[in-house]
Amino acid sequence: VERKLTARGRERRQQILDQSARLFAERGYHPTSVADIVDSLGVGKGVFYWYFESKDDLFLEILASSSHDLRRLQQAAIGDEPDPLRRIEIGIRASLRWFRENRHLFNLSQFAATEERFAAVLRQNDAVAIADITRHLKEAMADGSVPEQDPEMLAHALVGATRHLARTYLYHGDESVDLVADVAVHFVLGGLAGGRPATPR
Amino acid sequence: VERKLTARGRERRQQILDQSARLFAERGYHPTSVADIVDSLGVGKGVFYWYFESKDDLFLEILASSSHDLRRLQQAAIGDEPDPLRRIEIGIRASLRWFRENRHLFNLSQFAATEERFAAVLRQNDAVAIADITRHLKEAMADGSVPEQDPEMLAHALVGATRHLARTYLYHGDESVDLVADVAVHFVLGGLAGGRPATPR
Amino acid sequence: VERKLTARGRERRQQILDQSARLFAERGYHPTSVADIVDSLGVGKGVFYWYFESKDDLFLEILASSSHDLRRLQQAAIGDEPDPLRRIEIGIRASLRWFRENRHLFNLSQFAATEERFAAVLRQNDAVAIADITRHLKEAMADGSVPEQDPEMLAHALVGATRHLARTYLYHGDESVDLVADVAVHFVLGGLAGGRPATPR
Amino acid sequence: VERKLTARGRERRQQILDQSARLFAERGYHPTSVADIVDSLGVGKGVFYWYFESKDDLFLEILASSSHDLRRLQQAAIGDEPDPLRRIEIGIRASLRWFRENRHLFNLSQFAATEERFAAVLRQNDAVAIADITRHLKEAMADGSVPEQDPEMLAHALVGATRHLARTYLYHGDESVDLVADVAVHFVLGGLAGGRPATPR
DNA sequence: AATGAATGAGGATTCATTCAT
DNA sequence: AATGAATGAATCCTCATTCAT
């Protein structure tokens, strides 16, 4: 249902989007009923379905838009930085700032991964992020600043370390973004350089 | 309900545990009804409630036991290895083998994180894992094989990178455990050593 | 709400009437929402309630006006034909032509019969039709061209046979009106004359 | 959901079937809610869905089973009667007895015709009835007791007249079955013999 | 230990109707 | 005359849990 919305309509829609994201994040997707959402906004149930096809639909929109939002921020931060390793560092720092601002969204993607109809969107989003990073890594390998390795795997390791630090210290904990970012960058750049296995296999 | 179970009873109970884990993993916790579980086992509903208090209860048990299981494996693998870095490496390799065997459990802990009544157990489990690793790291810092840094943060970075690689290449993908382990270990050991930030802050 | 309508208003009203009848006929009364109707006309919901009290009200109006329409056509066709049997034949033929033109209305009266608030109007309409036919039949019995029998029952038999043929061959099927009319007339006139029961009761 | 039902279960199922048919017939399909049905039986809502997939499903089952029921009765009544016209007469009389007993079902098939998902079953049922009658008519034409005409069209005319008489006098009215049957048979047998059109086309 | 049956609160969604503009 | 927005009761259906046997 594509609707032409008035200014007031767009506002209401955004209100629902924000409030739902907050509630889903706090209590979980399933435990949050449409009734909870509309009640918390003090509006009738019909309002929800005036703006969204279904609860699932709304959730998918939250997922998609938050990933776009993050990516936009990263790209703005990176600008036209020429050094690929610095691009990665800037990307990590930007992500962490975004995670901090949008910490409540952590649970949403956590959850989305567990039900196939949502997982698809998530994989899509992730693929984009990984592709971005992979590109930087290939450049870094080309100019010798990172030893040759499977760039995609590295990208995943990088993402995993960063996100987990963010979840732990920015979502559950309350650490400063800069401190976490320093550790993350240090760890990741070290990881890209690689260490000698303690045990030769 | 603590029940004294016959041998047959214990078997049945395990059957339910296994089957539930599989279904929760495939479809998600909420979309899997108790009816789905018992139907898929060809038994009546009474059976379920004979062995478990509730659906939530069952899920909590799955979470707890799988984390114990993993820890037991890690400790067995580590044995009395004296070198802390090697202990970490061995732990990572053992974890990846376990993740491979139990890849369906990924979704379960993903999901558990999103609803508070389950998240508590999860945090508990995680704390144990982090404590183990932190201990190794402190030793490694003491003997100079890893530069001094916040060991807990490193532990989280390590866990994040490892799990994400596992999820990507052992759960969604179908990579060989050893290959993934090599990349993970290489990345992590590098990360522990640390890299020089591309941008001085 | 009796409103004085401008020419444009009357047109709009008729538009709604026509479109609703079409949709009710295609999908059924209940499955067709007021929203469906106004959307299919590309107008807002207010329009509907400007011209009609309620959905029920609109439906009743469709029923009433279609029955008037049919009767008007029959009477025009019959004119001042003096022979009662010919009047009946002409009436049948006229009805079948009308049914052909308005086949979508079949479902409407079918449906109306199933909910009491609409059934009343329907019975009213039918009573008029039956009265017309009964009058012809009494005349025919008086002049001996049809054997004495309960004229009202005959009228119903006649109506039942005719309508069912129409529904089958003009609504679901796509037979020519004239062919169906020939069969109907032949059957009905035979029926009025009557047959000898195969089994004496 | 094919379920193995105990004796008690089968009884309950039948109870629901009967009660629903009654309520659908009285008030119409849509105005009768599942809540109405279970409340009128004094049971919980779950019971309904233990025995039936959905409200639609239940309705389809009522339709199908009532048509089977009628056909069974007709065939039992006809037995091995050799005369095709007498078979038709017996069929009509049996139908009318059945309609009398099950008058409440009239509205159900009326309604079913108006929504496509139900109409399909109805057409199926009707096709069987028409095929039966058509067979008798062909025989009757072969042995010269009915003039050659399109037998299927005659079958429809016959069915239309009979049903309409039944609806009028056995459902809305309260006439004796035998009297209505006499009129119906007389009209139908006359109709099969055919009359001369009052107006040569 | 186990089954089929039952409960009923709760959930998503629809929709006739009304309202403010 | 007309629109987009809003209402909220009503609807179908699900499902964890309990019960009788």
Side-chain angles (χ1 to χ4, degrees):
Chain A
V1 242
E2 281 305 309
R3 261 184 225 295
K4 314 150 202 153
L5 297 178
T6 63
R8 187 176 165 219
R10 274 192 304 278
E11 210 176 300
R12 200 17 77 87
R13 193 170 191 280
Q14 193 57 44
Q15 233 179 77
I16 298 175
L17 234 18
D18 292 343
Q19 183 73 347
S20 308
R22 196 165 317 140
L23 292 176
F24 290 160
E26 265 169 37
R27 318 181 183 174
Y29 179 76
H30 288 288
T32 303
S33 69
V34 173
D36 289 339
I37 297 168
V38 295
D39 285 357
S40 79
L41 288 169
V43 299
K45 234 178 280 222
V47 170
F48 185 95
Y49 292 93
W50 179 259
Y51 295 102
F52 300 93
E53 288 267 17
S54 67
K55 196 185 165 192
D56 277 20
D57 188 53
L58 160 71
F59 187 55
L60 288 170
E61 183 160 338
I62 294 175
L63 288 180
S65 83
S66 74
S67 122
H68 288 161
D69 197 36
L70 168 56
R71 186 158 191 242
R72 206 174 314 120
L73 184 73
Q74 289 173 329
Q75 293 188 317
I78 289 175
D80 55 354
E81 169 64 46
D83 177 1
L85 275 190
R86 286 203 56 189
R87 286 209 296 272
I88 284 179
E89 176 175 353
I90 296 172
I92 291 177
R93 294 187 183 275
S95 300
L96 288 170
R97 277 194 307 277
W98 188 88
F99 286 149
R100 166 52 131 212
E101 287 316 306
N102 301 275
R103 349 122 83 117
H104 61 288
L105 297 179
F106 266 116
N107 272 346
L108 300 201
S109 39
Q110 284 276 106
F111 167 73
T114 70
E115 298 193 17
E116 190 48 32
R117 65 213 147 132
F118 303 133
V121 190
L122 218 56
R123 280 195 294 273
Q124 187 56 38
N125 295 346
D126 261 32
V128 173
I130 293 294
D132 282 346
I133 300 169
T134 302
R135 217 171 318 112
H136 304 324
L137 286 176
K138 280 183 179 158
E139 266 189 59
M141 291 177 195
D143 74 17
S145 50
V146 164
E148 291 285 345
Q149 301 162 76
D150 181 329
E152 212 177 87
M153 281 198 163
L154 287 183
H156 280 290
L158 179 171
V159 163
T162 307
R163 280 194 201 160
H164 196 72
L165 283 169
R167 174 157 33 249
T168 306
Y169 293 103
L170 302 180
Y171 172 55
H172 290 120
D174 191 43
E175 209 58 72
S176 98
V177 178
D178 284 333
L179 195 154
V180 179
D182 286 346
V183 173
V185 167
H186 194 244
F187 185 87
V188 162
L189 292 183
L192 295 178
R196 213 149 315 282
T199 328
R201 217 203 317 163
Chain B
V1 250
E2 277 307 307
R3 278 185 207 292
K4 320 131 203 155
L5 297 175
T6 65
R8 184 165 157 247
R10 275 192 303 280
E11 208 177 301
R12 199 16 79 94
R13 193 167 192 283
Q14 193 57 43
Q15 230 179 79
I16 298 174
L17 237 16
D18 292 344
Q19 184 71 350
S20 309
R22 194 163 320 138
L23 292 176
F24 289 159
E26 263 169 37
R27 318 178 185 173
Y29 179 75
H30 288 286
T32 303
S33 69
V34 173
D36 287 339
I37 296 169
V38 297
D39 285 357
S40 78
L41 287 170
V43 301
K45 273 205 196 118
V47 171
F48 186 96
Y49 286 93
W50 182 258
Y51 294 104
F52 299 93
E53 287 271 17
S54 68
K55 194 186 167 191
D56 277 19
D57 188 52
L58 159 73
F59 187 56
L60 288 170
E61 185 162 336
I62 294 174
L63 288 179
S65 84
S66 74
S67 119
H68 289 160
D69 197 36
L70 168 55
R71 186 161 190 241
R72 204 175 314 122
L73 184 73
Q74 287 173 330
Q75 292 187 318
I78 290 174
D80 54 357
E81 168 64 43
D83 177 1
L85 275 192
R86 284 205 54 189
R87 287 211 294 276
I88 284 179
E89 176 176 354
I90 295 172
I92 291 176
R93 293 188 184 274
S95 299
L96 287 170
R97 278 196 304 279
W98 188 88
F99 286 149
R100 165 54 132 208
E101 286 317 306
N102 302 275
R103 44 227 270 201
H104 60 287
L105 297 178
F106 266 117
N107 273 346
L108 299 201
S109 39
Q110 285 272 108
F111 167 74
T114 69
E115 298 192 16
E116 191 46 34
R117 68 211 143 130
F118 302 133
V121 191
L122 215 58
R123 279 195 295 272
Q124 187 57 37
N125 294 346
D126 261 32
V128 173
I130 293 294
D132 283 346
I133 299 169
T134 302
R135 216 174 316 115
H136 306 322
L137 286 176
K138 280 183 177 157
E139 267 189 58
M141 290 177 194
D143 74 17
S145 51
V146 164
E148 292 285 344
Q149 302 160 78
D150 181 327
E152 212 177 86
M153 281 199 163
L154 287 184
H156 280 291
L158 180 171
V159 163
T162 308
R163 280 195 200 156
H164 196 72
L165 284 169
R167 173 158 33 252
T168 307
Y169 292 103
L170 302 181
Y171 172 55
H172 289 121
D174 190 44
E175 209 57 72
S176 100
V177 179
D178 284 333
L179 196 153
V180 178
D182 287 346
V183 173
V185 167
H186 194 244
F187 185 87
V188 163
L189 293 183
L192 295 177
R196 212 149 317 281
T199 329
R201 203 179 359 139
Chain C
V1 250
E2 279 307 306
R3 276 185 210 293
K4 321 136 203 148
L5 299 174
T6 64
R8 182 164 159 247
R10 275 192 304 278
E11 209 178 302
R12 202 12 79 95
R13 195 168 191 280
Q14 192 57 43
Q15 228 179 82
I16 298 174
L17 235 18
D18 292 343
Q19 184 70 350
S20 307
R22 194 165 319 138
L23 291 176
F24 290 159
E26 264 170 38
R27 317 179 185 174
Y29 179 76
H30 288 286
T32 303
S33 69
V34 173
D36 288 338
I37 296 169
V38 297
D39 286 356
S40 78
L41 287 170
V43 300
K45 273 208 194 109
V47 171
F48 186 95
Y49 287 93
W50 182 259
Y51 293 103
F52 299 93
E53 287 271 17
S54 69
K55 196 186 167 193
D56 277 19
D57 188 53
L58 159 73
F59 187 56
L60 287 170
E61 184 160 337
I62 295 175
L63 288 180
S65 82
S66 75
S67 120
H68 289 160
D69 196 36
L70 169 56
R71 185 156 192 245
R72 205 174 315 120
L73 184 73
Q74 288 173 329
Q75 293 188 317
I78 288 175
D80 54 356
E81 167 65 43
D83 176 1
L85 275 191
R86 285 203 57 188
R87 287 210 295 275
I88 285 179
E89 176 175 354
I90 295 171
I92 291 176
R93 292 187 185 275
S95 299
L96 288 170
R97 277 196 305 278
W98 188 87
F99 286 149
R100 165 53 130 210
E101 284 319 304
N102 301 275
R103 37 229 279 185
H104 61 287
L105 297 179
F106 267 117
N107 273 345
L108 299 201
S109 39
Q110 285 273 107
F111 166 74
T114 71
E115 298 192 16
E116 191 47 33
R117 67 212 144 128
F118 302 133
V121 191
L122 216 57
R123 278 196 295 273
Q124 188 57 38
N125 295 345
D126 261 33
V128 172
I130 293 294
D132 283 345
I133 300 170
T134 302
R135 219 172 315 112
H136 305 324
L137 285 177
K138 280 183 178 159
E139 267 189 57
M141 290 177 195
D143 73 17
S145 51
V146 164
E148 291 285 343
Q149 301 161 77
D150 182 327
E152 211 177 85
M153 281 198 163
L154 287 184
H156 279 291
L158 180 170
V159 163
T162 306
R163 279 196 201 156
H164 196 71
L165 284 169
R167 174 160 29 252
T168 307
Y169 293 102
L170 302 180
Y171 172 54
H172 290 120
D174 191 43
E175 208 59 69
S176 99
V177 179
D178 284 332
L179 196 153
V180 178
D182 287 345
V183 172
V185 167
H186 193 244
F187 185 87
V188 162
L189 293 183
L192 295 178
R196 213 150 314 283
T199 328
R201 215 198 327 156
Chain D
V1 239
E2 280 306 307
R3 261 182 223 295
K4 313 151 202 154
L5 297 179
T6 64
R8 186 173 165 223
R10 276 191 302 278
E11 211 176 298
R12 198 21 74 89
R13 193 169 193 281
Q14 192 59 43
Q15 233 178 77
I16 297 174
L17 234 18
D18 293 343
Q19 184 72 348
S20 309
R22 196 164 319 138
L23 292 175
F24 289 160
E26 263 170 37
R27 316 179 185 176
Y29 179 77
H30 288 286
T32 302
S33 71
V34 172
D36 288 339
I37 295 169
V38 296
D39 285 356
S40 79
L41 287 170
V43 299
K45 231 176 285 219
V47 170
F48 186 96
Y49 291 94
W50 180 258
Y51 295 102
F52 299 94
E53 289 269 14
S54 68
K55 196 186 165 190
D56 277 20
D57 187 53
L58 161 70
F59 187 57
L60 288 169
E61 184 160 336
I62 295 175
L63 288 180
S65 83
S66 73
S67 119
H68 288 159
D69 198 36
L70 168 56
R71 188 163 189 237
R72 207 175 311 122
L73 184 74
Q74 289 173 329
Q75 292 188 318
I78 290 176
D80 55 356
E81 168 62 45
D83 177 1
L85 275 191
R86 285 204 54 190
R87 287 208 296 274
I88 284 180
E89 176 176 354
I90 296 171
I92 290 177
R93 293 186 184 274
S95 299
L96 287 170
R97 277 195 306 279
W98 187 90
F99 285 150
R100 164 54 132 209
E101 285 317 304
N102 301 276
R103 17 173 357 158
H104 61 288
L105 297 178
F106 266 118
N107 272 345
L108 300 200
S109 38
Q110 285 276 106
F111 167 73
T114 70
E115 298 192 14
E116 190 46 32
R117 67 212 146 134
F118 302 133
V121 190
L122 217 57
R123 279 195 293 272
Q124 188 56 37
N125 294 346
D126 262 33
V128 173
I130 293 296
D132 283 345
I133 299 169
T134 302
R135 219 174 313 114
H136 305 323
L137 286 177
K138 280 183 177 159
E139 266 188 59
M141 290 177 195
D143 73 17
S145 50
V146 165
E148 291 286 345
Q149 301 161 77
D150 182 327
E152 214 177 84
M153 280 197 163
L154 287 184
H156 280 290
L158 179 171
V159 162
T162 306
R163 278 193 202 161
H164 196 71
L165 284 169
R167 173 157 33 248
T168 307
Y169 292 103
L170 302 180
Y171 172 55
H172 289 119
D174 191 42
E175 209 57 72
S176 101
V177 179
D178 284 332
L179 196 152
V180 178
D182 286 346
V183 172
V185 167
H186 193 245
F187 185 86
V188 163
L189 292 184
L192 295 178
R196 215 149 312 284
T199 329
R201 210 196 333 155

